[in-house]
Each structure stands twice: as C-alpha cells, then as structure tokens.
Amino acid sequence: MKIEALHMREVQMPLAHPFETSFGVTTGRRILLIELEADGYRAWGECVAGEHPYFSDEMVDTAWHITQTELAPRLLGASIDHGSEVPALFKQVRGHRMAKAALENAVWDLDAQRQGVSLSKLLGGTREVIPTGVSIGIQPTPEQLMQKIETEVAAGYQRIKLKCKHGWDTKIFAMVRDRWPDILLSCDANSAYALDDAEHIAGWDEFKLLMIEQPLWYDDFYFHATLQRRLKTAICLDECIRSSRDARAALELGSGRIINIKVGRVGGFTEAIAVHDVATEFGVPVWCGGMLETGIGRAHNIALSSLPNFTLPGDVSAAKRYWAEDIVDPEITVSPAGTIMVPTKVGRGFEVVPERVDSITVRSHTLG
Ligand code: OSB
Ligand code: MG
C-alpha cells in the first residue's frame, strides 16, 4: 500500500486529576496525533512524548519537529505492506523513538483495517481479556492517597502502583500495607534514587512489593544489576529499556526481573514485540506501561497487552481515570474484575470521533 496523505495535529486535553511523579506534576496533556490515508482507509497513531523532556529526552515539540522534517517525508509515498517495514525507513534517524512509534503504529492500525483483522490479531495477540492495574501519583497528603487506593481497589483493579520519591516512600508503603496486607502492590521511582540509597531501598523488602520500577538513573542498567543483587524484591525496568538489544543486555546482566513495555519508548510495535520475545526467552514477565494516553494510544496498548507474555496487570486503565471526555467511541472501560476486553472487531476496535478531535486541535499540518 502507498501512504497517500499524512496529517499531524496537536490536541490539548486537561487531565481529570493532576498526575505527580518524582519528575513533576502534569495537569493537562499536549499530544501529537498522526492520521494516515491509504487505499481509502484512515488510520491513527499517538505520540507519547510528554510536554517536557522529563521522562525521556523527547517532548511533544521535538516530536513535532522531527516528524514534520525527517520522518513523515520518509513515510509519505512509501510503498509498504506491513508495519514491520517501517523501522527500516527511519533507520538513518537516530533516537526519536516516540515520534517514530506514532507513525509506525498508525501503519499497523491501517494494515489491520486493510487485512480485515483486529489489531490484536495482527500483532500476534492471544488473550481475550487483559488484566489491569493503576498507577497512582504522589498525592498532597497520605490521607488522599489512602482514599484513592480505596476507590481503585473497590473498582476491581488487580494491582496498585504507587509513584514514590524520597519523603514519599517507606512510611507510605508501611501505611498502605498495614491497611491492605494482601493486595498486589508495587512502586515506581522514575529514577529518583542513587546507589547510595541501596540500603534504604532494601528496607522495602518487608512490604512484599511485586516490583520496584526504575529506581536508579533513566539511562542505566549496569548499576541496577548491582542494586538487584542487594534486594529480595524484583526490579522492573522502564525508562532504560529502549530496544530489544537493551532488554537482552539488561537481562543478561541481571538488572531486573520484570520489564515494563511502552510501545512509544521502544520506537513502535515491531520493537515492542521484539522486547516481549526477548523477555519470554529469559522467562521474564512483561506488562504494558501507560503514558497518560488518549483512547488511540490506549486502544493500541490494549492490543499489545494481548500478547502471551503480558502476564502481569498493566497500567492500561479506564479512560475516565484520565479524561472528562475521551476521543474514541465506545468508551474504554474496566470490568469489576479489573479486566479490559480485547476487541475482536476489525482494526483498533475503538473509533476516533472526528468532531471531538477537531474541537481540541490547536495546530495541524498535512503532508501529501
Ligand atoms: O513511569 O510509568 C511511568 C506516566 C507518565 C510518565 C511515566 C509514567 C507514567 C505512569 C502513568 O506511571 C501510567 C498511566 O496511568 O498511563
Ligand atoms: Mg515507570
């Protein structure tokens, strides 16, 4: 198929609740969306780059620039049969994985429609439902955190992940474990600690956390191996895994025992599947991370989460936790058992509502 037109747009959406991590507070999202046209089909991709280069070195403005000047021209007019052919088109451009992923994922989204199969099936998914968890940001007070956990546990979520940092860690975990001794509980430091904190972190072993996500530097997996040797609790790697080669190196080193796969962080579905496969080879479970996505990215995450080694609950939770009104129909919801049904319909299974997207678009650019 030939990519006939490529539309870029930036949408702005206020979050229903502010989201605080060790790197800052997000109150609203600026998101780059991609729409492709080919063979009479229209497909979508979402770029997960944030408003600032705090999670990774990408941000929405760099993604916009690199898409417009380098990536989109390479995709436009290209004849491709499959999403897995896209990385080769972008090979000359180093990095900018989130920008690349938005385009590649849109091609998979298109190909699913063209082949008349669900995106899950096209990606190699085998699950009918996916287990889901929630990521709960740092709250103004411990009482507010306890209230949030109560709400999410009552909603059925199968795993509670707490964002943490110095001053919002040991005491908080103790308080939560005291009230909920048996829930699946984890924490995510987003690189808030250093190796000098090893003893402090080892103190969390008593809380029986499922995992400690990215405790050390965003670009490190060598010292994570040093730390992992000192912990009973599994380390889960997020920021530092940018490719299947990183995954193999990290697992050979023993840097962690669980991997969080974010399709944007690794550059698209092709590489996400490759990371999944490396983890399988090492007997390491994976789960799907979230980046405060709209329904487009969320639908793509649901399809990815249907692959066999996504055995742990992911951060792919219900749209209403993030948005007063999402941009897809039907609304993405979670069952009382804490699961999301994987759509069996053709394509991504959640239709983009054009009027809704138009109403929140602040800039757009078309190629082709
Ligand atoms: O580290 O997983 C992370 C959100 C933005 C940036 C990084 C992370 C997150 C989350 C939120 O944890 C997951 C979600 O609910 O989408
Ligand atoms: Mg994380």
Side-chain angles (χ1 to χ4, degrees):
M1 66 186 150
K2 189 162 161 264
I3 307 298
E4 293 147 15
L6 193 159
H7 308 279
M8 301 168 57
R9 61 167 94 209
E10 179 186 330
V11 296
Q12 293 192 358
M13 290 170 77
L15 282 169
H17 310 281
F19 188 76
E20 182 171 348
T21 68
S22 63
F23 58 72
V25 185
T26 309
T27 54
R29 296 292 332 277
R30 293 175 56 206
I31 300 173
L32 165 60
L33 297 178
I34 301 294
E35 187 181 6
L36 299 180
E37 287 181 59
D39 290 353
Y41 298 105
R42 302 180 83 91
W44 291 83
E46 174 167 344
C47 177
V48 299
E51 293 68 39
H52 300 278
Y54 299 165
F55 172 81
S56 78
D57 45 15
E58 288 186 83
M59 61 185 285
V60 62
D61 294 308
T62 64
W64 182 282
H65 177 73
I66 213 76
T67 302
Q68 185 175 353
T69 60
E70 295 283 347
L71 303 177
R74 284 173 166 80
L75 186 60
L76 190 73
S79 265
I80 38 180
D81 286 322
H82 198 261
S84 63
E85 294 167 24
V86 175
L89 297 176
F90 297 158
K91 197 161 188 280
Q92 194 179 11
V93 177
R94 291 187 178 170
H96 300 283
R97 292 178 177 83
M98 293 174 178
K100 290 174 177 172
L103 293 168
E104 186 195 317
N105 296 353
V107 172
W108 285 83
D109 190 284
L110 186 75
D111 195 30
Q113 296 177 48
R114 199 178 60 130
Q115 292 200 37
V117 297
S118 69
L119 182 59
S120 157
K121 184 147 190 231
L122 188 66
L123 292 170
T126 53
R127 270 164 220 289
E128 290 169 9
V129 295
I130 60 164
T132 70
V134 286
S135 172
I136 304 183
I138 294 163
Q139 301 296 311
T141 64
E143 293 68 37
Q144 277 162 283
L145 175 68
M146 299 297 270
Q147 190 57 52
K148 283 236 165 192
I149 298 174
E150 195 165 302
T151 306
E152 307 297 14
V153 169
Y157 285 105
Q158 298 185 19
R159 184 225 62 209
I160 302 290
K161 156 173 145 184
L162 307 177
K163 289 293 187 179
C164 67
K165 62 178 183 182
H166 281 291
W168 189 269
D169 52 17
T170 315
K171 276 194 197 137
I172 295 291
F173 304 152
M175 194 182 304
V176 173
R177 261 300 178 232
D178 203 42
R179 171 98 171 264
W180 290 280
D182 301 319
I183 57 169
L184 219 46
L185 186 67
S186 70
C187 70
D188 186 356
N190 289 111
S191 307
Y193 299 91
L195 213 46
D196 285 349
D197 299 311
E199 209 174 298
H200 175 67
I201 296 172
W204 305 344
D205 279 341
E206 67 168 299
F207 302 120
K208 304 265 185 290
L209 302 176
L210 171 64
M211 61 197 154
I212 298 168
E213 191 174 336
Q214 200 74 30
L216 306 178
W217 307 275
Y218 76 96
D219 57 356
D220 167 79
F221 40 78
Y222 181 83
F223 293 110
H224 277 86
T226 312
L227 178 63
Q228 180 66 91
R229 284 192 290 275
R230 298 193 49 183
L231 304 178
K232 284 205 195 78
T233 310
I235 288 177
C236 170
L237 302 169
D238 176 357
E239 282 89 330
C240 66
I241 303 298
R242 303 155 307 172
S243 64
S244 56
R245 184 165 50 79
D246 281 349
R248 184 175 298 282
L251 296 182
E252 278 186 14
L253 272 169
S255 314
R257 301 202 287 259
I258 297 175
I259 294 179
N260 164 343
I261 298 184
K262 288 179 180 164
V263 61
R265 196 194 65 223
V266 302
F269 281 134
T270 304
E271 198 63 28
I273 295 167
V275 172
H276 166 275
D277 294 349
V278 166
T280 305
E281 195 184 312
F282 280 81
V284 160
V286 303
W287 55 278
C288 184
M291 292 288 282
L292 314 176
E293 290 93 344
T294 76
I296 296 170
R298 203 166 296 279
H300 286 178
N301 285 343
I302 294 169
L304 181 65
S305 303
S306 70
L307 268 67
N309 195 30
F310 282 82
T311 51
L312 296 172
D315 278 347
V316 190
S317 37
K320 70 172 183 200
R321 294 190 65 246
Y322 306 85
W323 317 115
E325 196 189 349
D326 199 355
I327 59 174
V328 299
D329 184 47
E331 185 184 329
I332 297 176
T333 57
V334 168
S335 78
T339 58
I340 297 180
M341 289 232 289
V342 179
T344 51
K345 279 187 259 185
V346 170
R348 90 186 76 79
F350 299 90
E351 297 307 319
V352 176
V353 183
E355 313 79 64
R356 171 79 186 122
V357 180
D358 285 344
S359 73
I360 54 171
T361 297
V362 297
R363 62 169 159 167
S364 53
H365 178 77
T366 291
L367 293 94

